Amino acid sequence: MSRFFDLVSKPARDMGEYSPPASLWQPVQQTPPRLIKLDSNENPFGPSPRAIDAMRSALSGSNSYPDDDCSLLRRALATHHDLPPEQVLVTAGSTALLSILCQTLLAPGLNAVTSERSFIVYRLAVQATGAHLIETPLRDDGFDPDAILGAIDGNTRLVFLANPNNPTGTVLDATVLDRFIASLPANVVVVLDEAYYEFAAHFAALRHVTYSRSLDYVRQGSSVVVLRTFSKAHGLAGLRVGYGLGPAELLAYCARMRNTFSVSSVAQAAALAAVDDQSHIERVVSNNAAEAKVMAEELFRCEYRVVPTSANFLYCDLRQDAIDFAGRLRDEGVSVRPLGVWGAPNCIRVTIGTPEQNLFFLNAIRKVALAGAPRQQQSSRLRS
């Protein structure tokens, strides 16, 4: 037994460590000279020029603590979404708000419900409270609302719906989601995670379908908290700023659980400048939709199964060990995410990058595909 085993909390003992597979992380001297990172769903175009200018201006005031309430940003987001400021809560990334919601609503003996093969932070945030996470089976690579409803009981306090889902990129039909929200018991709060909102809305417009009526639920007073982030389409992942839209009373309780001064003044300034920069967002989402089509078609030609996406990444079934395949891709200079931790050992998630990055990735994957057998088998043949 280790030195601190009896001192740490039970949730800390029981939680498994989440880290990328060891085979993907090599010593610096073994890293390819040019590594294209397509493993974390980051915006390849970076922040809005307005956000960069705002960050530069904010740096001179870094000796002062930031506005703990993010007042200017909250008001701007409230105006942007046509909601009162009391229904907006800004946090250090939407992942921080996930943890805060769990701390506010969960405890040992209670549970939360989501789908298997969804955002891995749900599991970590729930387990940290000592509560239990129930994961229902997927249906057609996406959430099964009926299965989730069937898993809810009197001890359920939270339901997590990633829409689009990470890592599969699938969305719930808006009408189906309407019925789901209307069917929930009073003891349940739905966390509607729309981290990839801008991408999904653009895809929906191209496909002539309705993506989300999430803000209608908030305006109607439903027990729904909508999560948005500046990490994806806005390109501010390194600054950690996200927000929730939901019932004012619940968000006020959540605000009590938030760390003091958790959103830096630089992050607040950048997000405030990025909120309405539609030209930057349009550039990002237009490239994403066009490149998603190119990449999916090429991966299909390589005989891999690709799920149609509504996000800025592709979920690809390689029909072979994904960790080994990702390692060989890394040798070619591209980093992607194998999904064994999500229960999909033959699948990868690859971020949609710039046209140049995607071309490099496709050339690398063709080379790896042509190489055939996994490296372990090649090594065995060489030794024999």
Side-chain angles (χ1 to χ4, degrees):
M1 189 173 294
S2 63
R3 177 182 173 189
F4 293 102
F5 185 84
D6 288 331
L7 301 181
V8 301
S9 67
K10 187 177 186 299
R13 289 197 300 268
D14 293 345
M15 286 173 65
E17 180 181 359
Y18 170 59
S19 60
S23 61
L24 291 187
W25 301 99
Q26 305 171 4
V28 173
Q29 63 270 22
Q30 297 179 22
T31 300
R34 178 192 181 193
L35 182 66
I36 294 176
K37 284 185 82 277
L38 300 179
D39 56 5
S40 296
N41 303 341
E42 295 152 332
N43 183 337
F45 294 104
S48 154
R50 295 184 193 175
I52 293 174
D53 289 342
M55 284 186 267
R56 290 195 180 105
S57 297
L59 288 174
S60 61
S62 296
N63 58 306
S64 299
Y65 288 111
D67 173 9
D68 190 46
D69 195 45
C70 304
S71 303
L72 291 177
L73 181 56
R74 276 184 75 203
R75 287 199 292 270
L77 289 169
T79 300
H80 185 75
H81 295 299
D82 193 22
L83 289 169
E86 294 77 20
Q87 290 192 268
V88 181
L89 180 64
V90 180
T91 57
S94 59
T95 50
L97 187 47
L98 284 171
S99 295
I100 291 169
L101 283 162
C102 289
Q103 293 166 28
T104 304
L105 291 165
L106 295 177
L110 300 177
N111 69 66
V113 182
T114 190
S115 171
E116 66 182 4
R117 210 167 304 169
S118 192
F119 189 32
I120 204 163
V121 172
Y122 302 153
R123 184 192 314 162
L124 302 177
V126 170
Q127 289 178 342
T129 69
H132 175 58
L133 181 67
I134 300 169
E135 296 177 289
T136 62
L138 289 174
R139 184 173 69 191
D140 299 327
D141 297 302
F143 282 18
D144 183 344
D146 293 332
I148 293 174
L149 283 172
I152 292 171
D153 60 27
N155 292 321
T156 305
R157 294 294 179 271
L158 285 168
V159 168
F160 298 107
L161 298 179
N163 199 39
N165 184 42
N166 176 13
T168 60
T170 52
V171 292
L172 280 167
D173 178 87
T175 302
V176 171
L177 189 53
D178 289 344
R179 289 198 297 266
F180 178 85
I181 299 294
S183 301
L184 289 170
N187 58 289
V188 173
V189 173
V190 174
V191 179
L192 196 51
D193 188 347
E194 295 185 341
Y196 301 94
Y197 173 85
E198 293 83 2
F199 301 105
H202 186 77
F203 276 117
L206 294 176
R207 296 163 181 166
H208 305 289
V209 298
T210 300
Y211 157 50
S212 173
R213 289 189 273 266
S214 59
L215 296 190
D216 290 344
Y217 309 141
V218 175
R219 295 186 186 107
Q220 292 161 6
S222 301
S223 295
V224 173
V225 177
V226 179
L227 302 190
R228 301 279 177 87
T229 183
F230 286 91
S231 294
K232 305 304 179 184
H234 296 90
L236 299 178
L239 295 185
R240 312 308 304 129
V241 55
Y243 59 100
L245 309 165
E249 180 186 0
L250 176 57
L251 294 186
Y253 282 118
C254 290
R256 301 176 185 180
M257 308 295 288
R258 184 181 54 183
N259 288 336
T260 305
F261 304 130
S262 58
V263 183
S264 75
S265 53
V266 174
Q268 291 183 44
L272 186 61
V275 168
D276 292 315
D277 192 347
Q278 291 304 313
S279 62
H280 183 70
I281 296 297
E282 180 59 32
R283 178 192 181 202
V284 170
V285 298
S286 296
N287 171 82
N288 184 75
E291 289 297 302
K293 184 174 185 294
V294 171
M295 293 175 72
E297 289 173 351
E298 288 301 314
L299 290 167
F300 179 77
R301 289 192 184 98
C302 292
E303 300 185 349
Y304 304 131
R305 185 178 74 90
V306 180
V307 175
T309 189
S310 289
N312 70 335
F313 55 84
L314 294 175
Y315 176 83
C316 181
D317 186 349
L318 303 167
R319 301 185 176 91
Q320 60 182 284
D321 181 72
I323 290 180
D324 180 84
F325 194 94
R328 287 184 282 150
L329 270 179
R330 187 179 175 88
D331 291 343
E332 298 297 326
V334 184
S335 179
V336 300
R337 184 61 58 93
L339 300 175
V341 174
W342 281 263
N346 293 333
C347 298
I348 60 171
R349 187 193 67 199
V350 54
T351 307
I352 298 164
T354 64
E356 295 76 19
Q357 290 174 330
N358 298 333
L359 179 60
F360 191 97
F361 160 74
L362 291 171
N363 287 333
I365 208 166
R366 290 188 200 101
K367 185 174 180 179
V368 170
L370 287 173
R375 286 181 298 180
Q376 302 100 303
Q377 296 180 20
Q378 294 176 0
S379 299
S380 298
R381 284 199 292 269
L382 287 172
R383 286 195 295 270
S384 62

